[in-house]
Amino acid sequence: MRTLRTRNTSGIVSTKPESPVEHSGKTSSAGRKFKHFTLPPILRRNSKSNSNVSFPDVPNTSSLIAAPPKELLTFEQNLERNRLSAAGQQLIDREERLYGRISEVVQPTTEKKEKEQLARDRKGLLSHIDLAVKSSLSPDEDSLEALKSAVKAILQEEEQDRRWLKQESKRPSWRPSECRRHHDTVIQSLVEECMVNAELPPEESNKLRSSLQRDICGKGRRLQEDLLRVVKVVKGCYPKDMDICNLYGKMYHQAFSAGMRKVAEYGLGMVDCSYLLHWVNVAYPEILHNLELIKAINSEALGKLLTEELTTQLENQYLTHQEKEVQTLINKVLNVEEQAWREGSVPELRDNCYFSPLAIDVIQFVNAAFESVETVLGDTSKVQMIACLLKDFLNSYKKFQEKVLKGCNNRNSRTVIMANLSCVEQFSISFSSVSLKEKASSSSWDYIVKKADLFPVDIKECCLSIVADMKNCGYRSLTSPIHKDLKSQYSSLGTPIWLEKKQVFEKLLEGINKHTQDVRGLTDSCHQELLGQLHLEVTTEYVRRLLKRKIKLRDKAMQEQAARSVCEDGQRLNKLFTEAGSREEWLSDILARIAEVLKLQDISSIQLEIVTLSQAYPDLSDVQVTALLSLKSNLSASAVKRIKKTLLDIQDTTSSQDGPSFFSKV
């Protein structure tokens, strides 16, 4: 059966079966007339006469009755109902007929009018497609249905473009239509319009400090909301190969970037500069890394909001400001501290401890700068510029401490040193990364400790060295008066009277105990460290006096007596200091080892004990070994030489071991 295309005046292209029979019974084109078909009598039902007649199986004729034809809509009706793909197909069919791909005789005048009408209808269709695309971010369902149909119409147009490109005949003026490229342009226009008109609700807008902040935040909020709608809803209206999510992501990125560049190039105040950098480095990347967006949008391909050159310029402006601000603040803190000392002010007592807010203030300023840099730039490595300021500050702080120590006659110098030892300890903690849970409860300190690895190694080592010097100087200034007072007791150590009278060491212990009781005004940790320092210094002085060789231990009895005295003195000294708070219990081992050398008589045993002492304390010198052996005046020069040679041989064949430093202080 052949199929003919016919055209009605409304532009509908429909098909009719060419049939020799008209169902109405009219004469066919052959001139024959057919009668209605009637059933034979035997097949006609009669309830009375044929009740017992069995009928043969008759097919159900209801299935043979044709369904009512679907309503055929005109182009205008399809357009009005947003059935854009159907309307587009109608135009394509008309295009095929008018431009020669379907043969049909058409009068030239009529053809010209129809082509003009087709061009006008195409404009109407494209206008409706544009409208559907522009409404794609609207929340209603009708917009989504229109968008789905518009996308199908675009794909039909793209396919028709490809078909025409394969033909050698003259194409319509609108081919190729590049409908998809136009679609992308419409989306770009839509996105730009959305970003221009983006606004925050009044209650949120009022919380921001400037119009620039409100503009950036409003655009960022609109970008986030629209991209989420694209991923959740609009994506379903497009085929996968159109990659609509990345297209919208690219368009919004470009629009947001253009707005950022425009405001950045005019020069910004510091508040707006930091806000813009926060969006560039932190807030915008966080939006793109939303769990739903990251699956659909390739954020890496989008790049940065600002060029590297412009970003660097803004970051340098911000970092320079932060550096100057921190430097000003911490220097002011130190100036206040120095001024109070010059005026004779005594530091505040808190819990019976002299207190200075210097360390807390400094670390809070530095911490605030660290957190600001991390928040604004999203990069912790940039805080190194701020970290370097601490080295200069600590050098200035050390100079201030030296001034206080030189003016130790001032009535407040001792209390100022006590207050500042606590500050120095906190600085030491911050650089050595000790857990603050045992030391302090300040969240600022905790932050600095966690970020201690951000300090450049050379800066960190320099700061630790400065802090160590300040601690030693501070504690030495507190222990020096004690040693001065104990000088007369020290002078008797290692002499015949010390060996003969136990009262000599008893007086020394009494003097030490008195001073340990008098040390007040330090924090618990500083008090403990001071006692540890004093414990070390007293033990060092004891060994120094012993090695001055003011006594000759001529025989075994004297050597054993001296060994007992040294051992007992070491135990009593250790007991006194540990009960007072010292944690330097290892110091008792030194006097016990020296006592063992004094007691031994066998040369081989003495050799072994000297080697053991040297391995435990690698800073033991040859001169000190000689002085110790010289106490045993019954040792021959050759025996001393043998012992020292054995020690030298052992030191040459074994690698030096790490051990506590002691003899280098003697």
Side-chain angles (χ1 to χ4, degrees):
M1 183 182 297
R2 291 191 300 116
T3 301
L4 296 180
R5 290 178 179 265
T6 62
R7 178 177 56 82
N8 60 27
T9 57
S10 299
I12 300 175
V13 177
S14 60
T15 59
K16 285 187 178 182
E18 184 181 9
S19 171
V21 179
E22 296 279 351
H23 291 288
S24 63
K26 293 183 180 180
T27 305
S28 71
S29 60
R32 290 177 295 174
K33 191 169 184 178
F34 290 82
K35 297 180 180 179
H36 293 290
F37 181 77
T38 56
L39 290 172
I42 193 166
L43 295 180
R44 290 200 291 266
R45 292 180 179 270
N46 187 308
S47 59
K48 293 182 179 180
S49 60
N50 299 319
S51 59
N52 296 322
V53 177
S54 61
F55 292 92
D57 291 337
V58 179
N60 184 1
T61 58
S62 63
S63 62
L64 301 177
I65 300 174
K70 291 183 178 179
E71 182 184 8
L72 296 176
L73 301 179
T74 65
F75 168 77
E76 288 79 7
Q77 289 172 326
N78 278 324
L79 211 57
E80 184 180 347
R81 300 183 187 186
N82 276 327
R83 298 182 58 190
L84 305 180
S85 61
Q89 186 59 53
Q90 288 174 330
L91 297 187
I92 289 173
D93 291 342
R94 287 163 59 186
E95 180 182 298
E96 292 281 316
R97 181 180 63 79
L98 288 172
Y99 285 88
R101 292 185 52 179
I102 296 178
S103 298
E104 184 174 329
V105 178
V106 184
Q107 293 296 326
T109 305
T110 304
E111 180 180 358
K112 181 180 179 182
K113 290 181 178 180
E114 289 187 3
K115 286 181 177 180
E116 291 173 351
Q117 183 61 43
L118 177 58
R120 287 193 293 271
D121 288 345
R122 279 187 56 78
K123 289 182 179 179
L125 173 66
L126 294 177
S127 177
H128 276 70
I129 291 175
D130 288 357
L131 186 60
V133 173
K134 288 179 180 178
S135 302
S136 57
L137 298 178
S138 300
D140 58 281
E141 282 297 320
D142 290 342
S143 296
L144 288 179
E145 290 303 316
L147 179 60
K148 290 178 183 178
S149 188
V151 171
K152 289 180 182 177
I154 291 170
L155 296 177
Q156 289 169 183
E157 285 292 306
E158 290 286 298
E159 180 61 29
Q160 184 68 355
D161 282 348
R162 287 189 288 272
R163 284 199 293 264
W164 272 111
L165 289 173
K166 295 176 183 178
Q167 300 295 322
E168 295 181 359
S169 57
K170 184 179 179 181
R171 300 193 296 265
S173 60
W174 53 79
R175 294 294 175 193
S177 65
E178 298 184 333
C179 205
R180 182 164 171 177
R181 179 183 295 182
H182 179 70
H183 159 270
D184 294 352
T185 304
V186 171
I187 286 183
Q188 182 178 8
S189 175
L190 168 65
V191 168
E192 290 173 354
E193 183 180 351
C194 288
M195 293 296 274
V196 167
N197 296 326
E199 290 183 354
L200 289 172
E203 62 274 12
E204 293 185 35
S205 178
N206 294 335
K207 296 177 183 178
L208 298 175
R209 299 172 65 177
S210 70
S211 59
L212 180 140
Q213 293 181 15
R214 288 188 282 273
D215 182 62
I216 291 176
C217 188
K219 284 180 167 60
R221 176 75 61 83
R222 185 61 187 267
L223 177 146
Q224 181 182 31
E225 292 174 353
D226 287 355
L227 287 182
L228 283 171
R229 174 169 173 78
V230 168
V231 169
K232 292 178 180 178
V233 180
V234 176
K235 177 183 175 183
C237 300
Y238 286 82
K240 188 175 181 180
D241 63 347
M242 287 190 75
D243 200 13
I244 192 63
C245 294
N246 275 312
L247 177 63
Y248 267 101
K250 177 183 175 183
M251 297 301 181
Y252 270 103
H253 176 83
Q254 290 175 347
F256 201 22
S257 176
M260 289 285 203
R261 287 197 306 272
K262 186 176 180 181
V263 297
E265 289 170 353
Y266 282 105
L268 299 172
M270 189 45 53
V271 174
D272 286 342
C273 175
S274 60
Y275 190 82
L276 185 144
L277 284 171
H278 169 71
W279 267 93
V280 169
N281 295 312
V282 181
Y284 181 61
E286 284 179 355
I287 289 175
L288 296 182
H289 284 83
N290 174 280
L291 291 178
E292 292 180 276
L293 295 184
I294 200 170
K295 295 176 183 177
I297 297 175
N298 182 3
S299 59
E300 296 298 324
L302 297 177
K304 299 288 186 180
L305 279 176
L306 298 180
T307 63
E308 185 175 349
E309 179 182 0
L310 188 53
T311 302
T312 301
Q313 177 185 331
L314 292 172
E315 287 183 353
N316 287 340
Q317 176 188 347
Y318 168 76
L319 288 170
T320 300
H321 173 81
Q322 286 294 318
E323 187 178 0
K324 289 180 179 178
E325 188 175 59
V326 171
Q327 193 168 31
T328 300
L329 290 170
I330 61 179
N331 287 342
K332 183 178 180 181
V333 169
L334 185 57
N335 291 336
V336 169
E337 189 78 8
E338 184 170 349
Q339 185 64 30
W341 168 70
R342 290 185 183 282
E343 292 174 355
S345 300
V346 176
E348 176 189 355
L349 268 175
R350 288 188 181 181
D351 299 326
N352 296 319
C353 302
Y354 291 107
F355 169 79
S356 168
L358 182 142
I360 293 175
D361 290 344
V362 168
I363 213 64
Q364 283 182 345
F365 293 141
V366 174
N367 168 63
F370 275 19
E371 289 186 325
S372 176
V373 171
E374 191 171 359
T375 300
V376 171
L377 304 185
D379 183 0
T380 54
S381 66
K382 300 290 177 67
V383 305
Q384 291 187 359
M385 289 181 65
I386 309 298
C388 292
L389 293 175
L390 277 175
K391 182 188 75 170
D392 296 334
F393 169 79
L394 289 173
N395 274 321
S396 299
Y397 190 24
K398 184 180 178 182
K399 290 177 182 177
F400 164 65
Q401 185 190 53
E402 291 169 354
K403 293 177 185 177
V404 176
L405 293 175
K406 287 179 181 178
C408 58
N409 293 329
N410 294 8
R411 65 183 183 86
N412 65 336
S413 289
R414 179 179 170 84
T415 57
V416 169
I417 290 295
M418 286 184 171
N420 280 281
L421 275 171
S422 176
C423 295
V424 172
E425 182 192 38
Q426 292 180 69
F427 284 123
S428 178
I429 291 170
S430 69
F431 291 111
S432 58
S433 301
V434 176
S435 173
L436 286 180
K437 291 180 180 178
E438 302 174 1
K439 298 287 184 179
S441 59
S442 168
S443 60
S444 297
W445 278 111
D446 190 50
Y447 181 89
I448 291 295
V449 168
K450 290 177 181 176
K451 302 299 181 183
D453 58 324
L454 297 176
F455 287 74
V457 175
D458 58 330
I459 297 296
K460 185 175 179 179
E461 290 177 351
C462 183
C463 289
L464 283 170
S465 176
I466 296 170
V467 167
D469 287 345
M470 292 183 70
K471 285 173 65 176
N472 290 335
C473 291
Y475 288 118
R476 196 160 51 242
S477 71
L478 297 178
T479 59
S480 291
I482 297 176
H483 294 307
K484 186 176 181 180
D485 186 58
L486 297 175
K487 187 175 180 179
S488 59
Q489 286 91 325
Y490 285 146
S491 63
S492 299
L493 294 174
T495 64
I497 193 172
W498 158 74
L499 192 59
E500 295 169 4
K501 298 181 179 180
K502 291 187 177 181
Q503 293 90 336
V504 171
F505 191 71
E506 289 287 350
K507 288 183 67 176
L508 176 63
L509 285 181
E510 289 174 4
I512 293 171
N513 186 54
K514 176 180 178 297
H515 283 293
T516 57
Q517 297 297 322
D518 289 344
V519 175
R520 294 288 182 270
L522 289 170
T523 62
D524 290 344
S525 57
C526 289
H527 186 261
Q528 178 181 311
E529 190 157 354
L530 173 67
L531 290 173
Q533 181 75 11
L534 184 61
H535 189 179
L536 173 62
E537 291 172 359
V538 169
T539 306
T540 301
E541 187 63 26
Y542 186 102
V543 174
R544 180 186 294 113
R545 296 284 177 173
L546 197 62
L547 296 183
K548 282 190 173 184
R549 294 177 283 187
K550 291 184 177 181
I551 187 172
K552 297 293 182 180
L553 306 175
R554 297 182 180 86
D555 53 30
K556 178 181 178 181
M558 287 187 70
Q559 291 171 17
E560 288 181 345
Q561 182 184 359
R564 284 194 298 272
S565 294
V566 171
C567 189
E568 289 173 3
D569 290 351
Q571 291 173 353
R572 296 178 70 188
L573 200 61
N574 185 66
K575 184 174 184 294
L576 185 152
F577 275 109
T578 52
E579 287 180 353
S582 170
R583 295 293 179 266
E584 308 300 325
E585 297 179 8
W586 62 276
L587 291 169
S588 65
D589 176 69
I590 295 171
L591 295 182
R593 288 180 183 274
I594 291 175
E596 190 66 18
V597 172
L598 296 176
K599 183 179 74 172
L600 293 172
Q601 301 300 312
D602 179 65
I603 301 300
S604 298
S605 298
I606 295 173
Q607 284 177 323
L608 179 60
E609 191 61 35
I610 289 292
V611 168
T612 304
L613 181 63
S614 174
Q615 290 176 336
Y617 304 97
D619 60 345
L620 177 67
S621 70
D622 179 76
V623 173
Q624 291 165 338
V625 172
T626 301
L628 178 58
L629 293 176
S630 296
L631 293 173
K632 299 168 72 70
S633 58
N634 62 342
L635 272 180
S636 65
S638 60
V640 172
K641 189 175 181 180
R642 279 175 53 197
I643 294 170
K644 291 175 66 177
K645 185 177 184 304
T646 302
L647 175 61
L648 185 62
D649 291 341
I650 294 293
Q651 289 175 338
D652 289 341
T653 56
T654 58
S655 58
S656 61
Q657 300 177 356
D658 291 333
S661 175
F662 176 81
F663 284 96
S664 59
K665 296 179 173 63
V666 176

